[in-house]
Every structure is written in structure tokens, then in C-alpha cells.
């Protein structure tokens, strides 16, 4: 039976390949594929097309107009950190988290 981390890694791989196979190189996300992935899988980004455009622009580190799996993983990690920071701040505002615990 796979662990939670193994299932998370599998999900990340599957999502990347689910969107990257729509056009061109099936192992890299085009800007259109990445935009579609972000808008369909991350609710806060569905309401912010400018943020999606910025992420797409910033993510293509090697300026290939495609996002390889390494760049995709960096995006997932960045979104994960941002979500964690948001939830920690919300707990702190509600008084349910002491700053000593962080």
C-alpha cells in the first residue's frame, strides 16, 4: 500500500502528464497547457488571470516557451509554501497558533 507521500508524488506526475500531452512535447507543458492546468486545478487562480500570466512567464526559467518537469515541480513547491504561509497566518489571526510554535 503506497504511503501518503508516494500518492502525492504520483498525483503530481499524473497531473503534469495529463496536461502536457495535449499539444507538442508530451513531457513539457506549453504556456497554454500550463495556463489551463493552473486555471482548472487551483481555485484561487481561476479568479486571477493576471497572476496566472505572471506565473507562466516567471516559471519558464530557461525561456524555452515550455515548462519542463523540474520547472513544474518548482511551481508546485512554491504554491505549497504560499498555501502553508496563508493557513498559518489565518490560524495566527484567530489566536489558534502561538508564534512560538513556528
Amino acid at each position: 500500500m503506497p504511503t501518503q507521500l508516494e500518492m502525492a508524488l504520483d498525483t503530481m506526475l499524473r497531473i503534469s502528464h495529463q496536461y502536457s500531452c495535449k499539444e507538442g512535447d508530451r513531457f513539457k507543458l506549453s504556456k497554454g497547457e500550463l495556463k489551463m492546468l493552473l486555471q482548472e486545478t487551483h481555485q484561487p487562480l481561476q479568479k486571477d488571470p493576471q497572476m496566472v500570466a505572471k506565473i507562466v512567464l516567471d516559471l519558464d526559467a530557461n525561456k524555452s516557451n515550455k515548462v519542463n518537469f523540474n520547472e513544474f515541480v518548482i511551481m508546485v513547491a512554491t504554491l505549497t509554501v504560499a498555501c502553508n504561509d496563508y493557513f498559518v497566518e489565518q490560524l495566527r489571526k484567530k489566536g489558534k497558533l502561538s508564534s512560538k510554535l513556528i
Side-chain angles (χ1 to χ4, degrees), residues 3-81:
T3 66
Q4 287 182 331
L5 180 57
E6 289 169 332
M7 289 187 294
L9 295 172
D10 180 65
T11 299
M12 200 164 61
L13 286 163
R14 286 178 189 270
I15 289 172
S16 172
H17 293 298
Q18 174 186 342
Y19 284 87
S20 68
C21 70
K22 295 185 184 294
E23 55 186 71
D25 187 336
R26 68 184 198 141
F27 297 109
K28 294 181 181 177
L29 291 156
S30 69
K31 288 187 177 189
E33 290 166 333
L34 179 61
K35 183 177 178 180
M36 185 185 312
L37 183 155
L38 289 170
Q39 290 176 326
E40 291 179 1
T41 62
H42 197 308
Q43 285 187 351
L45 294 176
Q46 292 173 353
K47 301 172 188 166
D48 194 347
Q50 291 177 338
M51 181 58 77
V52 171
K54 180 177 178 2
I55 290 170
V56 170
L57 183 66
D58 291 348
L59 206 53
D60 185 16
N62 60 6
K63 304 301 178 214
S64 66
N65 289 319
K66 299 205 179 292
V67 173
N68 64 35
F69 190 72
N70 289 347
E71 292 164 329
F72 173 75
V73 169
I74 290 168
M75 178 201 67
V76 171
T78 302
L79 288 172
T80 303
V81 168

